[in-house]
Amino acid sequence: MSHDAIPASTQEDSPASHGGRGKRKEGRKRRRGLKITLVVLLVLLLAAGGTAWWLWSRLDGNITGVDINKALGEDRPEKLPTSGQNLLVLGSDSRAGAENKKLGGGGAVSGARSDTALVVHIPEGREKAVAVSIPRDTLVTRPECTKGDGSTVPTQNRVMFNSVYSQVGPACVVKTVEKMSGVRIDHYLEINFAGFKGLVDAIGGVTVDVPEDIHDKSSGLDLTAGQHRLNGTESLSYVRTRHGIGDGSDLGRIGLQQQFLMALLSEVKKQDLLGSPTSAYKIANSATKSLTTDEELASLTSLAQFARSMNGVDPETMETIMLPVAYDKVDPNRVVAAEPQATTLWKAIRTDSAIPASAKKSPATGG
């Protein structure tokens, strides 16, 4: 019998045939194992995606939006002739909530005022920025505004700037800034005491160079001149102190606020957020849960896109100045915009051009 004439039944029972059958079984097992692995990976990815969505939606839900455009209507300054942007950033002294009440120093003060106000101008190209502080004691003309309940508040002269927030609300603060400056405000951001403290604590504190000894009996802040690492509570006291430095006025603490802002931005920029998702979430949660923005920025997606567009702005090159002011002739405890410096400053921002040195001089501070 020829070797080629082996019966079929004998071929199936041959060792070689068993080997082939074994390989097919192993192949099926491998394919089945691969399918199981893919299913497990898919479940894990879906679970991770679900967790990411939950975290994202939680952060998204932290943000409060204010429809500034609807509240102000069409009677507003023209937008910048370039791709530059103007932001109004407010630090609110609201005592709402137990933590804000505690950080604010008790419950004797009702309502809320704009404790800190900055007009941040980002020129075309977005590689630098200018932050203009508006002293809270500045006397301004509050324009006619509409409250949240639809009622109208008539225009009023010689109103303290920081009282506009408590009297009418954030949209009226934006309108007041636009009327006094002629600058169109593109976006609005507000953070309260608790949010500020939480953000500083989330990034592990901020290092500042204290220019002179500070002994503020009102806040309990006691710092010697030199470098200090401040936690959230200490940082809040630092930017709010007015009795422990200079002449005890709001003008003295503006320098501390501007210095701290630069230190805070530098600290955030140094954080390895991509290398530490946990830290990134912690910081984002602290930054958003006490945040109020205009409607266009009131989502995590919009905030993230805006933040990415600002990535080229280096805190080291950011310029901080104070609105030029002079002491009011009727009430020396208040200040008014100094002219012609203030007009020159706002014109430079409106036209997205360099701010002349003359526009940065403030008679009230001798600058």
Side-chain angles (χ1 to χ4, degrees):
M1 183 181 292
S2 166
H3 288 293
D4 294 333
I6 300 173
S9 59
T10 308
Q11 288 180 2
E12 290 175 1
D13 292 334
S14 69
S17 178
H18 282 296
R21 206 161 49 230
K23 288 179 180 178
R24 284 196 295 274
K25 286 181 180 178
E26 289 175 8
R28 284 196 295 272
K29 287 180 181 178
R30 281 197 299 270
R31 286 193 294 273
R32 187 162 61 247
L34 180 60
K35 287 180 181 177
I36 293 171
T37 303
L38 289 174
V39 169
V40 171
L41 283 173
L42 181 60
V43 170
L44 288 174
L45 285 171
L46 287 174
T51 303
W53 177 86
W54 178 81
L55 292 175
W56 186 274
S57 63
R58 181 177 174 181
L59 291 174
D60 214 38
N62 283 345
I63 306 167
T64 301
V66 177
D67 196 341
I68 299 295
N69 291 327
K70 182 179 178 181
L72 299 189
E74 300 297 324
D75 184 22
R76 302 181 65 187
E78 294 290 328
K79 289 190 175 184
L80 288 172
T82 65
S83 62
Q85 295 271 289
N86 295 313
L87 291 74
L88 177 61
V89 181
L90 292 187
S92 162
D93 71 353
S94 170
R95 266 67 169 182
E99 189 172 5
N100 279 318
K101 185 176 180 180
K102 179 182 177 182
L103 292 170
V109 180
S110 61
R113 282 146 291 276
S114 49
D115 205 52
T116 303
L118 295 166
V119 174
V120 181
H121 173 61
I122 300 102
E124 186 172 33
R126 303 194 180 190
E127 294 181 352
K128 56 183 179 179
V130 177
V132 180
S133 295
I134 301 177
R136 53 179 284 167
D137 295 339
T138 305
L139 294 176
V140 298
T141 296
R142 188 195 65 213
E144 179 181 288
C145 291
T146 303
K147 284 187 173 182
D149 60 6
S151 61
T152 300
V153 178
T155 185
Q156 185 175 346
N157 297 324
R158 294 180 61 81
V159 171
M160 268 182 62
F161 177 76
N162 77 322
S163 70
V164 177
Y165 183 101
S166 60
Q167 291 172 346
V168 194
C172 194
V173 180
V174 174
K175 189 171 185 178
T176 300
V177 171
E178 289 190 342
K179 290 294 184 182
M180 68 186 281
S181 66
V183 172
R184 173 71 171 247
I185 300 299
D186 300 293
H187 294 297
Y188 171 83
L189 294 96
E190 173 196 332
I191 191 166
N192 61 27
F193 287 160
F196 179 85
K197 173 188 177 297
L199 175 59
V200 174
D201 284 337
I203 64 176
V206 174
T207 299
V208 295
D209 286 312
V210 180
E212 61 183 80
D213 291 353
I214 298 177
H215 305 293
D216 190 343
K217 294 180 180 179
S218 298
S219 67
L221 186 66
D222 198 353
L223 298 172
T224 56
Q227 194 172 87
H228 293 267
R229 184 80 175 178
L230 306 181
N231 62 26
T233 302
E234 293 166 337
S235 295
L236 186 60
S237 296
Y238 187 73
V239 298
R240 297 189 70 224
T241 186
R242 60 189 295 173
H243 303 295
I245 192 168
D247 61 1
S249 72
D250 183 52
L251 304 183
R253 72 173 175 177
I254 282 180
L256 294 183
Q257 291 175 347
Q258 292 177 335
Q259 177 217 34
F260 187 88
L261 174 64
M262 296 302 99
L264 175 63
L265 291 175
S266 296
E267 196 70 47
V268 171
K269 205 172 182 69
K270 287 190 295 184
Q271 297 283 332
D272 182 19
L273 300 185
L274 291 178
S276 178
T278 302
S279 296
Y281 175 76
K282 186 178 179 182
I283 292 171
N285 188 43
S286 295
T288 56
K289 69 180 180 181
S290 300
L291 185 67
T292 299
T293 73
D294 62 279
E295 200 67 33
E296 291 181 18
L297 289 184
S299 74
L300 208 57
T301 301
S302 299
L303 273 177
Q305 289 175 344
F306 186 76
R308 281 196 295 271
S309 74
M310 297 293 112
N311 199 44
V313 178
D314 187 346
E316 297 294 330
T317 63
M318 186 172 180
E319 185 178 12
T320 56
I321 59 179
M322 184 179 72
L323 172 68
V325 292
Y327 288 109
D328 182 56
K329 294 180 180 179
V330 177
D331 184 353
N333 292 317
R334 302 289 178 257
V335 294
V336 294
E339 296 298 349
Q341 297 96 318
T343 295
T344 303
L345 169 66
W346 295 130
K347 182 179 179 181
I349 291 177
R350 286 197 303 271
T351 56
D352 205 8
S353 54
I355 299 174
S358 60
K360 303 173 188 178
K361 295 181 178 179
S362 185
T365 59

